[in-house]
Amino acid sequence: VQLQASGGGLVQTGGSLTLSCTASGIIYRINAMGWYRQAPGKQRELVATITRRGSTNYAESVTGRFTVSRDNAENTLYLQMNNLKPEDTAVYYCNADIIQWADLTPRPYWGQGTQVTVSS
């Protein structure tokens, strides 16, 4: 199983970006998925999570600006980021709790990270 994240880039303050993360492999089911970020010199922090049924949770710092969504049929997670600020600059990682057909045991997987840079 692999998680492939994409969509990062350089954007000006106030701009928008959409991140995507697709899981591939022999997957039985994906439970919760989420986005985390890590800025230079800081610990990785939660940005947003979404359950399989679509219940969402956001960090206070992004509430009202970011929207997390998923396409269960495509095993894909999205993060729509609006009104970006310089403090949103970080490497963004996707995470998913995945059950494989091989053993039907849920395990956490991480994507490789995608850089988001917001210029002032």
Side-chain angles (χ1 to χ4, degrees), residues 79-94:
L79 185 68
Q80 174 67 44
M81 305 184 292
N82 298 325
N83 191 21
L84 282 160
K85 305 176 181 181
E87 51 264 42
D88 294 318
T89 295
V91 177
Y92 284 69
Y93 298 90
C94 56

Side-chain angles (χ1 to χ4, degrees), residues 14-68:
S16 298
L17 282 175
T18 300
L19 305 183
S20 300
C21 176
T22 299
S24 61
I26 304 175
I27 296 170
Y28 170 69
R29 187 176 69 219
I30 301 177
N31 293 329
M33 304 181 81
W35 290 99
Y36 293 74
R37 67 186 182 187
Q38 188 167 18
K42 295 187 177 181
Q43 290 188 333
R44 190 173 298 189
E45 63 177 4
L46 181 147
V47 176
T49 61
I50 183 168
T51 67
R52 182 171 180 81
R53 295 185 178 183
S55 295
T56 58
N57 179 55
Y58 295 93
E60 185 176 345
S61 59
V62 307
T63 298
R65 300 186 298 121
F66 291 11
T67 302
V68 63

